[in-house]
Amino acid sequence: MTASTMTALIADGAVDAPVIVLLHGRGSDERDLFPLGRELHAEATIVSIRAPFEAAPWGYGPGWAWYRFLGGTTPEPDSFAAGQAALEGYLQELPDRLGRAIPTGSLVLGGFSQGGTTALAQLLRRPGTAAAVMVFSGFLATHPTVEATPERVGSTPIWWGHGTADGAIPFESAELGWADLGAAGAQLTAVRYSGMGHSISLPELADARGWLAALEVPSTRRR
């Protein structure tokens, strides 16, 4: 299984503002969440990455995917590991792609659905990858390399919003992930949205924006 070379849409921002890296859901592409970044922070550098696998062979539509899904909270192990490795490589190359260093504590990694699951897994596989993680309607993946432990969650703030009427990733999957992260001592902000389906609502976006603005790291404070 070979991951394609990933591409991204990038919008430069202020050098003292966050670098927000966004990961789309399955069957979509880098254009999907790109506008969301500027809604989360007006001055941030926005990087919206296209996932490494074509979605059509797995029945996910014409776009791209981060892994093949087996059901519940379980991704197919090999494609999941390959997607994680591709994302890790991209993040390592990101300073060169931006043409500047990324200040410590300024990288925010987030995503929707498969992208949210992928972002959370990257943090747990590679602690310290991001200063903060945002999960929109994802889950905590059941995979040998992903485990919520105190050492892995550390002090990284995690924001996770999920709708109670989500038909793609049931709300119960979010509750399981919240419980595991909570047991590990994660700095977790978990928000339930009554009646919301598999989407990002305007109230959720406002909550996420407020959470990001309030983070106690200099690079995410608005000037």
Side-chain angles (χ1 to χ4, degrees):
M1 182 176 300
T2 302
S4 300
T5 300
M6 292 194 297
T7 61
L9 294 175
I10 298 175
D12 289 330
V15 295
D16 59 346
V19 175
I20 301 178
V21 177
L22 296 173
L23 313 178
H24 63 78
R26 75 182 191 185
S28 189
D29 60 31
E30 66 274 23
R31 295 170 294 180
D32 187 34
L33 296 187
F34 190 55
L36 181 72
R38 193 58 69 217
E39 294 296 323
L40 288 169
H41 195 292
E43 299 175 349
T45 292
I46 311 302
V47 182
S48 187
I49 304 177
R50 187 182 71 187
F53 297 109
E54 292 186 31
W58 294 334
Y60 301 157
W64 300 80
W66 294 97
Y67 54 82
R68 184 165 66 88
F69 180 55
L70 297 183
T73 59
T74 305
E76 189 280 317
D78 291 341
S79 62
F80 185 80
Q84 286 287 312
L87 175 59
E88 181 184 0
Y90 189 94
L91 293 176
Q92 290 174 345
E93 297 171 358
L94 187 54
D96 289 337
R97 295 174 183 271
L98 296 179
R100 62 178 174 88
I102 299 175
T104 301
S106 68
L107 181 66
V108 178
L109 183 61
F112 172 72
S113 192
Q114 266 204 4
T117 297
T118 299
L120 181 60
Q122 185 74 189
L123 170 67
L124 298 178
R125 286 166 49 94
R126 296 287 183 267
T129 293
V133 170
M134 310 183 80
V135 182
F136 296 90
S137 304
F139 58 79
L140 178 59
T142 301
H143 189 272
T145 65
V146 178
E147 185 179 4
T149 65
E151 295 77 19
R152 293 188 179 194
V153 299
S155 59
T156 304
I158 302 170
W159 189 92
W160 186 339
H162 211 105
T164 60
D166 193 326
I169 300 178
F171 182 67
E172 291 74 17
S173 295
E175 292 183 305
L176 290 172
W178 293 350
D180 286 345
L181 289 172
Q187 188 177 326
L188 173 67
T189 299
V191 188
R192 59 180 289 159
Y193 293 92
S194 297
M196 188 179 80
H198 195 61
S199 63
I200 300 175
S201 67
L202 290 177
E204 183 181 21
L205 179 58
D207 289 343
R209 181 170 56 243
W211 174 86
L212 182 60
L215 286 182
E216 290 300 318
V217 289
S219 57
T220 58
R221 292 178 184 154
R222 291 185 182 274
R223 293 181 292 180

